[in-house]
Amino acid sequence: MNQLRRSLGLGDAVAVGLSAMIGAGVFAAFAPAAAAAGSALLGGLALAAALAYCNASSSARLAIVYPQSGGTYVYGRERLGPFWGHLAGWCFVVGKSASCAAMALTVGAYAWPAQAHAVAVGTVAAITTLNLFGVERSARVAGVVVAVVVGVLAAVSVAALTSNAADPARIFDGAAGGPFGLLQAAGLLFFAFAGYARIATLAEEVREPERTLPKAVFLALAVTLGIYALVGFALLAVLGPDGVAGSAAPVADAATAAGFGALAPVIRVSACIAAIGSLLALILGVSRTTLAMARDGHLPRALAVVDERRAVPVRAELAVGVVVAMAAATADLRAAIGFSSFAVLVYYAVANAAAWTLDPRVSSRAVPALGVVGCLLVALSLPATAVSIGLVVIAAGALSFAVTRNR
């Protein structure tokens, strides 16, 4: 039995998507984004949200036509050809494995900085074990994580905005970072958004996917954008662009500056919970894409086995867990984030290109076209190291396709 059980409803799917988006990124991405964009930080957030909308729209349309595990790996294969499907799957598995490592390292950095790598490896092991018990249990945990993190972020933002330290005029203090700075900020903030399409990778496990998937994708994206806008406005009103850029923990620093320093430990704990929630959803998505690629022979076919009793791809889960644990034990957090962003943007570029083929009408192709151009521009705005390593990894993916195709 290699088929997954359709057991997730709308609430479960939205929870998985929210837990993938509202994670460690909201606690860390604003600082480097402010350094890049300056007083245009909120413009970078808007650009990241617009790009996320394009990707979400294309992913939802494709998921309706192909409601099965694999996401853009399946869409690229069916709409553009086997090579593009393989390349998308390769970028997703490799890029999101790096993102998993980044989330685990974030837990370590907040929970026990002196032993960040050890904590990260332990976190990966715990999450992998949870996922092995079945996606239903994971989805319920995701819902609890989202509720806690959203509550803390909302409370901190409202407290900061209503304090005497808040001054809306600070939002536009300082110089803007220019067009390139705006693009770079969008790329950094996109890391905090990338998660909505995780719902599409669970398409084979969602009830009534034609109706559930589009609703889940857009509900999760709308809620996330609203929360990020509230947090960003509060940070700028209290700290200003330079203050946000110079802070290692802007959310906690904003609470302290607003006179709510007692909330700092709560924020630190919430950052750990958020990173764990993101890691949970990320490993779910990577393992399902691994399953789909293994079914087609682009990864070892032994990974395609689904446990009949629990309806879980146990071997794929374990393989992903081992790879992520190894990366978490050795990788640098910033390098992992940069590389992950590049690979994921390439993945979404393939998704938009696949959506372009669904309908020849100009009105239907406008959003996918904007998505392709936006993904490539933002990807190329990332640090040179991330871009160069990403190009090497893409070349390796192309080579692996040639090997598996001949085999």
Side-chain angles (χ1 to χ4, degrees):
M1 177 182 176
N2 287 338
Q3 300 299 314
L4 301 174
R5 184 185 302 127
R6 294 193 182 277
S7 56
L8 298 182
L10 177 62
D12 293 327
V14 170
V16 170
L18 287 175
S19 68
M21 285 185 281
I22 305 177
V26 70
F27 292 94
F30 278 104
S39 60
L41 175 62
L42 292 181
L45 179 64
L47 183 57
L51 184 57
Y53 171 80
C54 292
N55 297 341
S57 176
S58 295
S59 296
R61 291 175 61 195
L62 289 160
I64 293 172
V65 180
Y66 305 102
Q68 54 188 288
S69 286
T72 302
Y73 164 68
V74 174
Y75 313 150
R77 180 191 66 198
E78 297 298 325
R79 305 303 305 185
L80 304 174
F83 171 77
W84 295 106
H86 173 86
L87 191 65
W90 176 270
C91 287
F92 184 88
V93 170
V94 175
K96 285 304 182 181
S97 293
S99 187
C100 288
M103 294 299 99
L105 287 167
T106 300
V107 176
Y110 274 88
W112 192 0
Q115 297 294 331
H117 288 284
V119 173
V121 172
T123 302
V124 172
I127 293 298
T128 301
T129 301
L130 174 64
N131 284 341
L132 290 175
F133 281 97
V135 69
E136 298 93 343
R137 187 171 304 180
S138 296
R140 287 197 293 271
V141 173
V144 174
V145 169
V146 168
V148 171
V149 174
V150 169
V152 170
L153 288 173
V156 172
S157 298
V158 171
L161 287 172
T162 55
S163 70
N164 293 330
D167 182 2
R170 288 197 185 97
I171 294 174
F172 302 106
D173 284 348
F180 184 79
L182 189 67
L183 286 174
Q184 191 172 78
L188 293 166
L189 291 169
F190 180 78
F191 178 80
F193 275 103
Y196 47 83
R198 202 66 28 70
I199 300 169
T201 66
L202 300 175
E204 196 172 336
E205 297 159 271
V206 173
R207 295 189 298 268
E208 299 182 286
E210 294 82 1
R211 298 178 57 188
T212 302
L213 288 176
K215 292 180 180 179
V217 167
F218 290 111
L219 280 174
L221 181 60
V223 172
T224 301
L225 176 58
I227 293 169
Y228 284 5
L230 178 64
V231 172
F233 192 85
L235 293 180
L236 291 172
V238 173
L239 300 176
D242 291 339
V244 175
S247 173
V251 179
D253 288 347
T256 300
F260 299 94
L263 292 176
V266 177
I267 295 170
R268 183 177 292 273
V269 172
S270 297
C272 291
I273 294 174
I276 291 172
S278 292
L279 181 60
L280 187 151
L282 283 167
I283 290 181
L284 275 176
V286 174
S287 64
R288 268 56 183 181
T289 301
T290 300
L291 169 68
M293 295 184 71
R295 284 171 172 171
D296 294 340
H298 291 298
L299 290 175
R301 292 190 183 276
L303 299 177
V305 175
V306 176
D307 181 86
E308 294 188 16
R309 183 171 60 88
R310 288 172 290 179
V312 171
V314 175
R315 295 181 182 178
E317 291 273 12
L318 288 173
V320 171
V322 170
V323 171
V324 173
M326 293 174 61
T330 59
D332 173 75
L333 176 59
R334 291 189 178 184
I337 290 175
F339 168 71
S340 173
S341 295
F342 182 87
V344 172
L345 284 165
V346 173
Y347 168 86
Y348 286 127
V350 175
N352 282 290
W356 166 277
T357 68
L358 289 174
D359 191 334
R361 292 178 297 177
V362 174
S363 58
S364 296
R365 286 183 163 178
V367 170
L370 290 173
V372 171
V373 173
C375 283
L376 295 179
L377 282 176
V378 172
L380 293 175
S381 74
L382 292 168
T385 301
V387 174
S388 58
I389 294 176
L391 291 175
V392 170
V393 170
I394 288 176
L399 179 61
S400 71
F401 173 78
V403 172
T404 56
R405 179 186 60 180
N406 292 334
R407 183 178 61 190

